[in-house]
Amino acid sequence: MGISSKIKTLKPQEFLIFSLNPPPTMRHLLTTTFHRHNHRLPTILHRLLIRHYRPPKPPTPPAPPKHPKPPQKPQSFTFHDATWEDPYSWMSHLNDKVAMRHMDIYMEQEEKYTEAVMSDTEKLQSKLQSEMASRLHFDLSTSPIRWGPWLYYKRVEAGKQYPVLCRRLASLNEQFISNKDPSGGFDFVSGRKIEQKMVDYNIEAERFGGYAYEELSEVSPDHKFLAYTMYDKDNDSFRLSVRNLNSGALCSKPQADRVSNLAWAKDGQALLYVVTDQHKRPCRIYCSMIGSTEEDVLLLDEPAENVYVNIRHTKDFRFVTVNTFSTTFSKVFLINAADPLSGITLVWECEAQAHCIVEHHQGCLYLFTDAARGGQLVDHHYLLRCSVNASSGPRIWERVFEDDRDMVIEDVDFCNTHLTLIIREKCSFRLCSVPLPMPARKDAVRLKELNPTFLPLPNHVSQIWPGPNYDYYSSTMRFTISSPVMPDAVVDYELSSGNWNIVQQQNLLYERTRILYGTASSGGIANGSSNNLNSDFLNEIKSEDDNLWNCLSEFYACEQYDVSSYDGVMIPLTILYSRKNKNNNQNPGLLHGHGAYGELLDKRWRNDLKSLLDRGWVIAYADVRGGGGHGKAWHHNGRQQKKLNSIKDFVSCAKFLVENEFVQENKLAGWGYSAGGLLVAAAINSCPDLFRAAILKVPFLDATSTLLHPILPLTAADYEEFGCPGDIDDFHAIMKYCPYANIQKDVLYPAVLITSSFNTRFGVWEAGKWAARVREHAIYDPKRPILLNLTTDIVEENRYLQCKESALETAFLIKMMES
């Protein structure tokens, strides 16, 4: 039988196998036969392939990762008239070794679960991290601070993790900025060293277990010593050290642990410092004579457990002020800095806790406070003054300015020649100066009557921060200007001449940072990458043109709205979006909130949010009640028993974004940090269907347990803010707003990424408990996961780790909106 005949007798399946894989001995004959019958075989093969083709089965999608299920150990609690069960209370039993082993296992499971859920975003995370890292401003140095003959600054050395604190004589500044690499601290022309290293924090890290975090740093008024406190992880406290700046050596004393405040006296010959008790309450003041071998002298020991102590020196170093305060009173004492052992003198007291700052200027004491006046609560700070040499009778404090609802004073700063005031007009901030001394008048005056000089500012200012301004006898004062659409600008204002210079600001349009290496009068602004002087820029910087402020409002819109809350109160809402990528009712959105401690909501420009803005996201900020910037009543109406106001305000702003088509329905996310995490989590409990996702960073989630049984020390301010559970009305309010106690059952919750750490005020157990209970109660949906991400202690000190964390959060938000 011929080859072709044998082929014809094969079954179709056999033919395919035979033709595609012929035996070696048949390969030549088969090839010859195929050539001879080439006009038929392609047709036969084609028909056979079509007839017997079976499309491959699509690969079975991998099952979604299963979330951790920590063990439940129900424990019953009763307080006042309420009883409740907590199956996860064991997570906070830090002294229970078995519980902590379970906690370690649970946290490891959470970490693996987060990695599994986010594994398909690795490329996106890498791209986002690259974007964010490219926007980091690589400062060779902080902008130097002029004090007397010296310029003080920090700079980073190549390959080092921590900066170096340095100084150089201002008279040598021109030599410093004339070379190509000023970060080296040398004049390469003459080879003469012009920089003094004061503290190398990389060496400090070796002293403190590989970690360097500085809380306080004060140079003595004679510029001979530096007192500073470093965090000691082993003892969970700050350790005081004093360094001799002439020799560079550490002084043998004082060396103290648990130090919370510093103040120099006797022109740098004495150092006063405050020590905390085991509950981290500042309570004792000591005075140490530098160079003396005698024991430090105890000046004040406050035994009452609810009274706190704080010290600071006046800007002219004539006095050290001592503030003692509790929830029921506030007092201010003076210590003569020339003779710190001569005793303390009471100069001010009031009922209830109040913010009190005392300054001295040419024989007058100035008090900036928000204390009740005439038995009536006040909504804003005001300024008082009296003679420092008061008679033996009660001091008479006179008001400096009349109240003006149109111009509210938010903060003040002094130098020898001027008083500067940060003014708020509704939601706008302004900065002005008044010459000193002011005219002697018995009656208060309106600020406008003194013809204040208003200093130049960009548009959309969200906050103004006074700088260190150590040099009391200089008329140049430094401020940091913040805006949602502009990188922070560090600005020196020369109050006598009216000149001003931006001494440091990142320019995102050119991806660089400019830093002034020297004094305002030197007229040099350096390019952070090449450090070339830019005199043309200085000649142009006399106007309020947004381009000169590196404002990005040409690319990103910033709009202000007043949103009506549930009770008719108008809540300020700030909305940012890319002008290029704005599409009505099609944009995802991210709503930020805080609303606690009377603190301003941080609306500064953030480089990481640029990645969302450029992808069409709307970024919004809700200034809910409980926060700052709108008076004391605004704060009080969002705390304690009125905490629900801030939560309802946040929900109202979220609904406004969706109903007015700024954000697409079901594409809104919330963002909250610490107490802001409580705000967002409580809003989710209230309206879980309003949010598609949320980011909760080190959130305060179990207010009931934490306030009842604090594991980490809480302050009086914490109970003033969230309520004291010993008061039954406060307790009921806490139970109503507590995120952990009010998780809804059988409801679809948004996706949530919780970032926490073992080194936070509100422990990681709160995040673990909340995540476990939401998964237990809510409707399970793998497209709406509850994730817990644990960060390291050094994230705040490492900008690249910050980028990595921000990239994970951003990727999470994008993934949830697209799923």
Side-chain angles (χ1 to χ4, degrees):
M1 184 181 296
I3 293 295
S4 61
S5 300
K6 289 183 179 180
I7 291 175
K8 289 178 183 178
T9 62
L10 292 174
K11 296 178 180 179
Q13 295 89 337
E14 295 172 338
F15 173 79
L16 284 173
I17 295 172
F18 183 85
S19 60
L20 296 175
N21 300 283
T25 55
M26 299 291 291
R27 194 166 295 151
H28 173 72
L29 293 173
L30 188 58
T31 304
T32 305
T33 304
F34 275 19
H35 279 288
R36 188 181 301 167
H37 300 277
N38 59 6
H39 61 288
R40 295 175 57 197
L41 283 175
T43 303
I44 295 171
L45 285 171
H46 180 69
R47 290 174 179 171
L48 287 171
L49 289 171
I50 291 176
R51 185 183 305 169
H52 297 279
Y53 173 74
R54 296 289 184 272
K57 293 182 179 180
T60 304
K66 294 183 179 180
H67 60 73
K69 293 184 177 180
Q72 296 190 20
K73 303 175 184 179
Q75 185 175 357
S76 181
F77 297 89
T78 299
F79 196 73
H80 288 308
D81 53 358
T83 298
W84 67 97
E85 273 199 354
D86 186 354
Y88 303 111
S89 63
W90 61 266
M91 293 187 188
S92 60
H93 297 170
L94 303 186
N95 296 323
D96 186 333
K97 293 182 179 179
V98 175
M100 288 302 96
R101 281 200 295 270
H102 288 166
M103 191 63 173
D104 289 341
I105 294 171
Y106 175 42
M107 290 297 101
E108 186 177 347
Q109 292 173 344
E110 288 286 2
E111 196 170 8
K112 291 180 179 179
Y113 177 59
T114 299
E115 290 176 358
V117 171
M118 297 299 294
S119 61
D120 60 345
T121 66
E122 289 181 356
K123 289 185 178 179
L124 175 60
Q125 288 185 55
S126 179
K127 177 177 173 58
L128 290 167
Q129 189 173 350
S130 297
E131 290 177 12
M132 295 171 185
S134 70
R135 302 184 197 118
L136 291 176
H137 48 282
F138 295 95
D139 298 346
L140 297 174
S141 165
T142 60
S143 44
I145 299 170
R146 175 76 180 261
W147 183 12
W150 293 96
L151 294 169
Y152 292 89
Y153 56 97
K154 287 182 179 180
R155 63 176 179 82
V156 179
E157 295 183 330
K160 298 293 183 66
Q161 181 176 356
Y162 296 104
V164 181
L165 177 62
C166 306
R167 70 178 180 180
R168 63 180 184 273
L169 288 171
S171 59
L172 300 178
N173 181 62
E174 294 304 324
Q175 298 179 49
F176 185 88
I177 63 174
S178 65
N179 59 71
K180 295 181 180 179
D181 185 15
S183 65
F186 291 90
D187 177 356
F188 291 97
V189 177
S190 64
R192 185 153 47 97
K193 187 172 184 179
I194 60 175
E195 177 185 80
Q196 177 188 357
K197 286 185 180 180
M198 299 165 63
V199 180
D200 187 336
Y201 294 100
N202 298 284
I203 297 176
E204 292 296 310
E206 297 175 4
R207 290 178 59 205
F208 293 96
Y211 182 73
Y213 177 74
E214 181 186 71
E215 176 76 1
L216 304 170
S217 179
E218 295 283 348
V219 176
S220 62
D222 59 0
H223 303 275
K224 293 180 180 179
F225 297 95
L226 172 71
Y228 61 105
T229 60
M230 300 295 298
Y231 181 63
D232 185 349
K233 290 181 67 175
D234 294 336
N235 298 314
D236 189 26
S237 65
F238 288 92
R239 181 165 181 77
L240 170 64
S241 299
V242 176
R243 190 174 294 275
N244 186 320
L245 296 181
N246 291 327
S247 65
L250 286 174
C251 299
S252 59
K253 64 179 287 291
Q255 291 191 16
D257 292 319
R258 305 200 310 267
V259 173
S260 63
N261 277 116
L262 304 171
W264 286 101
K266 291 194 72 173
D267 197 28
Q269 299 177 46
L271 178 68
L272 278 63
Y273 60 93
V274 179
V275 174
T276 65
D277 61 15
Q278 62 271 25
H279 301 296
K280 299 188 177 181
R281 177 182 65 93
C283 58
R284 288 185 289 275
I285 303 176
Y286 289 90
C287 177
S288 178
M289 296 298 175
I290 304 300
S292 170
T293 58
E294 297 180 1
E295 290 292 321
D296 295 347
V297 179
L298 179 64
L299 300 184
L300 176 69
D301 187 1
E302 178 53 65
E305 294 182 355
N306 64 336
V307 178
Y308 297 77
V309 177
N310 183 54
I311 63 173
R312 61 182 294 273
H313 62 76
T314 56
K315 298 192 69 174
D316 60 359
F317 286 97
R318 290 281 304 277
F319 298 97
V320 174
T321 65
V322 179
N323 289 60
T324 62
F325 57 91
S326 71
T327 57
T328 58
F329 73 86
S330 295
K331 296 181 180 180
V332 183
F333 301 85
L334 284 188
I335 294 176
N336 184 353
D339 186 8
L341 303 182
S342 62
I344 62 176
T345 303
L346 178 67
V347 295
W348 167 264
E349 63 179 323
C350 64
E351 294 181 355
Q353 184 176 337
H355 181 228
C356 305
I357 299 293
V358 170
E359 270 299 343
H360 174 256
H361 181 270
Q362 297 182 10
C364 281
L365 294 177
Y366 287 85
L367 171 67
F368 187 61
T369 184
D370 60 355
R373 195 166 55 204
Q376 298 293 320
L377 293 177
V378 297
D379 202 27
H380 304 286
H381 284 74
Y382 54 94
L383 191 64
L384 302 175
R385 68 178 171 183
C386 76
S387 172
V388 69
N389 297 316
S391 62
S392 57
R395 286 181 180 270
I396 299 176
W397 290 88
E398 300 172 344
R399 290 173 58 191
V400 177
F401 300 113
E402 289 185 4
D403 292 337
D404 188 342
R405 291 184 176 274
D406 295 329
M407 298 180 68
V408 176
I409 301 175
E410 291 287 338
D411 205 353
V412 297
D413 202 354
F414 285 82
C415 68
N416 190 44
T417 58
H418 288 81
L419 166 68
T420 58
L421 304 101
I422 298 173
I423 304 295
R424 179 173 55 82
E425 296 178 343
K426 295 184 178 179
C427 291
S428 300
F429 287 90
R430 302 185 72 181
L431 182 62
C432 69
S433 67
V434 175
L436 291 177
M438 286 186 285
R441 297 185 183 183
K442 291 185 178 180
D443 298 326
V445 300
R446 293 180 67 86
L447 176 60
K448 295 178 181 178
E449 294 179 25
L450 298 178
N451 297 317
T453 301
F454 284 91
L455 307 175
L457 293 172
N459 293 322
H460 309 297
V461 172
S462 61
Q463 195 162 2
I464 302 174
W465 312 75
N469 297 324
Y470 294 122
D471 200 335
Y472 175 73
Y473 297 99
S474 170
S475 59
T476 298
M477 301 193 74
R478 179 167 295 180
F479 294 86
T480 298
I481 314 300
S482 296
S483 164
V485 287
M486 182 193 78
D488 283 0
V490 180
V491 186
D492 278 353
Y493 293 96
E494 217 303 315
L495 304 179
S496 298
S497 66
N499 294 330
W500 59 284
N501 288 325
I502 298 177
V503 297
Q504 186 173 24
Q505 185 186 31
Q506 185 181 14
N507 188 335
L508 285 175
L509 301 180
Y510 299 99
E511 298 296 339
R512 61 178 172 81
T513 302
R514 58 191 186 195
I515 301 176
L516 173 65
Y517 284 96
T519 64
S521 61
S522 69
I525 288 185
N527 180 324
S529 56
S530 65
N531 298 301
N532 295 323
L533 295 179
N534 190 345
S535 59
D536 291 338
F537 174 79
L538 285 177
N539 293 331
E540 296 173 356
I541 202 167
K542 303 301 179 184
S543 74
E544 294 185 53
D545 189 332
D546 277 351
N547 291 330
L548 300 180
W549 287 94
N550 288 330
C551 184
L552 304 173
S553 56
E554 178 184 351
F555 310 98
Y556 305 102
C558 179
E559 299 175 358
Q560 306 282 343
Y561 295 89
D562 288 327
V563 177
S564 178
S565 190
Y566 77 102
D567 55 358
V569 174
M570 305 307 291
I571 311 302
L573 179 67
T574 303
I575 300 177
L576 270 66
Y577 59 86
S578 168
R579 297 186 186 275
K580 179 181 178 181
N581 299 312
K582 178 72 170 66
N583 295 309
N584 284 342
N585 201 27
Q586 296 181 17
N587 299 77
L590 182 62
L591 178 61
H592 294 71
H594 186 68
Y597 298 102
E599 295 172 350
L600 278 173
L601 177 61
D602 187 357
K603 297 192 284 286
R604 292 178 295 177
W605 170 263
R606 280 172 44 191
N607 282 339
D608 58 322
L609 290 181
K610 186 176 186 297
S611 294
L612 286 176
L613 287 167
D614 292 345
R615 285 170 171 82
W617 281 63
V618 171
I619 308 297
Y621 300 90
D623 280 298
V624 302
R625 282 171 282 186
H630 304 281
K632 187 182 288 188
W634 188 265
H635 171 213
H636 287 184
N637 284 327
R639 67 172 191 169
Q640 294 182 346
Q641 297 174 30
K642 298 180 180 180
K643 188 63 187 173
L644 283 175
N645 281 342
S646 62
I647 297 163
K648 293 178 180 180
D649 293 348
F650 190 79
V651 170
S652 297
C653 290
K655 290 179 178 179
F656 177 88
L657 291 171
V658 175
E659 293 170 357
N660 289 274
E661 299 186 348
F662 286 100
V663 175
Q664 185 176 344
E665 188 175 4
N666 200 35
K667 285 199 173 183
L668 177 63
W671 192 98
Y673 175 84
S674 190
L678 180 150
L679 174 76
V680 176
I684 290 173
N685 284 340
S686 174
C687 298
D689 58 337
L690 184 58
F691 301 92
R692 181 65 183 82
I695 302 288
L696 307 180
K697 295 180 70 68
V698 291
F700 182 27
L701 295 172
D702 189 6
T704 305
S705 298
T706 297
L707 294 171
L708 269 175
H709 310 290
I711 297 169
L712 302 176
L714 297 179
T715 66
D718 296 322
Y719 290 106
E720 282 289 302
E721 188 62 35
F722 299 105
C724 180
D727 182 289
I728 190 169
D729 293 328
D730 278 8
F731 173 74
H732 286 157
I734 294 167
M735 292 292 286
K736 285 182 180 179
Y737 72 71
C738 175
Y740 181 67
N742 292 280
I743 296 168
Q744 295 192 42
K745 291 186 176 181
D746 302 322
V747 172
L748 187 62
Y749 263 57
V752 180
L753 174 62
I754 313 169
T755 299
S756 191
S757 167
F758 283 104
N759 188 26
T760 60
R761 284 188 64 220
F762 306 116
V764 69
W765 51 88
E766 293 201 14
K769 290 171 61 175
W770 189 86
R773 177 166 273 191
V774 170
R775 293 170 185 149
E776 176 192 349
H777 284 0
I779 296 173
Y780 174 70
D781 183 352
K783 294 183 178 179
R784 294 179 176 227
I786 307 296
L787 304 182
L788 178 54
N789 177 47
L790 292 177
T791 63
T792 62
D793 293 342
I794 61 174
V795 166
E796 292 184 2
E797 298 295 314
N798 190 308
R799 294 188 298 176
Y800 292 100
L801 288 180
Q802 289 177 2
C803 283
K804 185 176 182 180
E805 184 178 325
S806 296
L808 172 67
E809 295 170 3
T810 304
F812 171 80
L813 291 172
I814 294 172
K815 173 184 170 74
M816 293 306 110
M817 296 304 170
E818 293 179 351
S819 63

